[in-house]
Amino acid sequence: MFREMGDKLGEAITTSTMGSLHYLQGRLVEAVSQHEKSLEIRLALRNKRLIANSNNSIGLALQAQDQWANALAKYEAVLEVYRAFHNRHGEAIALCNIGNVHRSRGKWTEALAEQQTSLDISSKRGFRHTESVARQNIGEILSWQGK
């Protein structure tokens, strides 16, 4: 419907929502496909914030498929956009995601550094949910290391 009306933003949002539904249903390949379609539209719109959202969603689906390098590349692109726009909350979330990829790859030092940076930002800015996620992630990393 949005496509027929020429509403690119509506089409991008709908396509992204379809990707999220696939993700929640465990259909990860379909999720990536839908989010990549949304990303293409958002690239054409040149909206960096929406591009970052698409890349984050793609990163989550890739990470769930153990495609660590590809997920990391998406999260790093997201981090770059959030930093450019001074979006500290988005930055903290992206750092948690990057830390989780490092943790999954057994790169404990890098994982802890990313989670700690996320925790520092979140604590300072009052992002309580993200702060608690970073604290939990740090605890899990230390536990897996036997500390």
Side-chain angles (χ1 to χ4, degrees):
M1 178 170 149
F2 289 110
R3 186 179 301 141
E4 290 81 21
M5 294 176 11
D7 181 353
K8 292 292 188 187
L9 181 57
E11 183 181 355
I13 292 169
T14 300
T15 306
S16 178
T17 301
M18 295 292 293
S20 296
L21 290 172
H22 285 301
Y23 178 82
L24 292 171
Q25 295 171 345
R27 297 194 313 254
L28 302 173
V29 173
E30 293 91 341
V32 170
S33 176
Q34 289 297 309
H35 284 302
E36 284 177 340
K37 288 177 186 174
S38 180
L39 176 60
E40 288 177 29
I41 298 166
R42 290 171 174 190
L43 285 166
L45 293 172
R46 297 183 180 162
N47 186 317
K48 290 186 178 186
R49 287 185 177 104
L50 292 178
I51 292 166
N53 289 344
S54 286
N55 279 324
N56 190 66
S57 295
I58 293 168
L60 290 169
L62 292 171
Q63 184 176 348
Q65 296 176 71
D66 298 339
Q67 294 185 34
W68 311 120
N70 293 334
L72 186 59
K74 291 296 182 182
Y75 294 145
E76 287 174 344
V78 170
L79 180 61
E80 183 179 323
V81 171
Y82 287 146
R83 283 183 170 161
F85 282 100
H86 306 287
N87 180 339
R88 301 294 283 178
H89 189 228
E91 180 181 353
I93 292 169
L95 289 165
C96 273
N97 288 339
I98 291 168
N100 288 338
V101 169
H102 289 312
R103 177 181 65 187
S104 296
R105 298 173 88 182
K107 296 184 175 185
W108 308 116
T109 303
E110 293 91 336
L112 280 171
E114 301 294 358
Q115 297 297 344
Q116 186 62 55
T117 303
S118 176
L119 176 59
D120 293 344
I121 293 167
S122 298
S123 298
K124 182 178 179 183
R125 300 290 179 132
F127 306 138
R128 298 295 175 228
H129 176 75
T130 308
E131 177 183 356
S132 67
V133 169
R135 286 185 190 282
Q136 179 178 342
N137 291 342
I138 290 169
E140 288 174 4
I141 293 165
L142 293 174
S143 176
W144 291 345
Q145 290 182 297
K147 296 181 181 181

